[in-house]
C-alpha cells in the first residue's frame, strides 16, 4: 500500500498487452489507463493492496486498446468516473460509463489532493495526453506513448522528482524484427513510440539530478529487452542503476514512494 502523506505510484503492468498505472497521495488513489480485462485488473489491484472501489477515478491517456480496453467495464462495475479528452471519447471505444469528465490539454485540474497537468503528446491517436501529478511538493511524470520528445513535452516535464518513461523499442531490433514494414514505420515514426535512444536524449534534456526514480515502461515484447534499456540509460547515471526500474508486462511494479 502507498505510504501515508506521500506521493506514490505503482504499475499493474506495462507493455503492448495492457497498461495501467496507480497514483496515490496516500489518501486519494487514481488509475491511469486500464488495458486489462476485469478479473485480471482486480487481481492486479489486489496484488498492490487495493480494491477497485477504493479508486477515486480512472484517467485515460488515449483510446488505443492496450490503454482503454478495460476502462469501460471497470468504471461500470464499480461506479468510477472517467476523465478523458473529447477526442478519446469520440473514438467510441469506451462505451457507456457512470460519469465522465472532459480533460482539456494543458489545463490543470485536481482530484482531491492530487493536482494534475494533462500534456499533449505526439502520438497517433485522436487527442492523446500524458500527465504530471503533484502532491505534497513532489512531482511525478507519466510519459509513455509518444513518437518523439518534442520541445513542448520537454518543457512540460521539467522538474519532476520521478518519471515513468516509455522505452518502447531498440531501433536495431525493430529494424530486424518480425513486424511488417508498415508497422515498423508506424512504431519508429514521429507519431509512434519512443526508442531507447530517444528516451536517453529526453532524460539528458530534462536533467537527472532531481529524479529519484526513473521507471522504464511500455517495453515492446518483440523489439526490446530490459538489458538493452539499461545499457542505454545507465551511462547517463554514471553507472548507478539504483534509480532505474523496469515496469514489466506481467508483474508490473510494486509501490514506489517519492520522498
Amino acid at each position: 500500500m502507498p505510504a501515508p502523506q506521500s506521493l506514490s505510484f505503482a504499475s499493474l503492468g506495462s507493455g503492448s498487452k495492457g497498461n495501467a498505472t496507480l497514483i496515490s497521495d496516500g489518501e486519494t488513489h487514481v488509475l491511469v489507463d486500464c488495458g486489462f480485462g476485469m478479473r485480471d485488473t482486480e487481481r492486479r489491484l489486489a496484488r498492490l493492496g487495493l480494491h477497485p472501489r477504493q479508486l477515486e477515478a480512472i484517467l485515460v491517456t488515449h483510446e488505443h486498446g492496450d490503454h482503454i480496453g478495460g476502462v469501460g467495464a471497470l468504471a461500470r462495475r464499480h461506479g468510477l468516473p472517467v476523465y478523458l479528452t473529447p477526442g478519446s471519447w469520440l473514438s467510441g471505444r469506451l462505451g457507456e460509463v457512470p460519469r465522465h469528465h472532459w480533460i482539456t490539454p494543458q489545463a490543470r485540474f485536481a482530484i482531491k489532493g492530487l493536482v494534475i497537468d494533462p500534456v499533449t503528446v505526439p502520438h497517433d491517436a485522436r487527442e492523446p495526453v500524458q500527465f504530471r501529478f503533484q502532491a505534497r511538493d513532489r512531482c511525478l511524470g507519466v510519459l509513455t506513448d509518444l513518437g518523439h520528445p518534442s520541445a513542448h513535452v520537454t518543457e512540460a516535464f521539467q522538474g519532476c522528482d520521478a518519471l515513468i518513461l516509455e522505452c518502447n523499442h531498440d531501433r536495431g531490433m525493430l529494424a530486424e524484427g518480425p513486424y511488417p514494414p508498415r508497422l515498423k514505420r508506424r512504431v519508429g515514426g514521429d507519431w509512434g513510440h519512443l526508442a531507447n535512444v530517444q528516451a536517453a536524449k529526453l532524460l539528458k534534456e530534462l536533467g537527472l539530478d532531481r529524479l529519484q526514480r526513473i521507471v522504464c515502461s511500455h517495453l515492446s515484447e518483440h523489439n526490446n529487452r530490459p538489458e538493452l534499456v539499461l545499457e542505454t540509460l545507465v551511462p547517463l547515471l554514471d553507472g548507478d542503476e539504483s534509480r532505474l526500474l523496469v515496469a514489466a508486462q506481467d508483474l508490473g511494479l510494486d509501490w514506489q514512494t517519492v520522498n
Side-chain angles (χ1 to χ4, degrees), residues 51-96:
H51 187 277
R53 292 192 181 276
Q54 293 177 271
L55 297 173
E56 196 69 34
I58 307 171
L59 279 61
V60 170
T61 60
H62 64 294
E63 72 274 12
H64 291 167
D66 57 327
H67 292 263
I68 205 174
V71 170
L74 187 68
R76 288 188 290 274
R77 180 166 181 173
H78 297 288
L80 300 172
V82 179
Y83 289 70
L84 75 171
T85 63
S88 295
W89 172 263
L90 290 171
S91 71
R93 297 181 181 180
L94 186 64
E96 294 299 320

Side-chain angles (χ1 to χ4, degrees), residues 108-144:
R108 176 175 289 184
F109 64 100
I111 300 177
K112 294 190 175 180
L114 286 171
V115 178
I116 304 161
D117 290 291
V119 180
T120 297
V121 295
H123 191 51
D124 57 353
R126 285 173 174 257
E127 196 177 8
V129 292
Q130 296 290 315
F131 299 107
R132 273 181 69 124
F133 293 88
Q134 295 185 55
R136 313 189 194 285
D137 299 321
R138 293 294 180 263
C139 175
L140 165 69
V142 177
L143 185 52
T144 68

Side-chain angles (χ1 to χ4, degrees), residues 234-253:
V234 167
L236 303 180
L237 302 168
D238 297 323
D240 177 14
E241 298 184 24
S242 63
R243 288 189 282 165
L244 282 175
L245 301 165
V246 175
Q249 179 69 89
D250 293 332
L251 296 177
L253 182 69

Side-chain angles (χ1 to χ4, degrees), residues 13-40:
S14 182
S16 58
K17 294 180 180 177
N19 297 272
T21 305
L22 280 167
I23 315 293
S24 175
D25 67 356
E27 299 173 358
T28 301
H29 319 301
V30 301
L31 188 65
V32 178
D33 292 335
C34 182
F36 302 105
M38 176 66 66
R39 288 185 179 179
D40 196 12

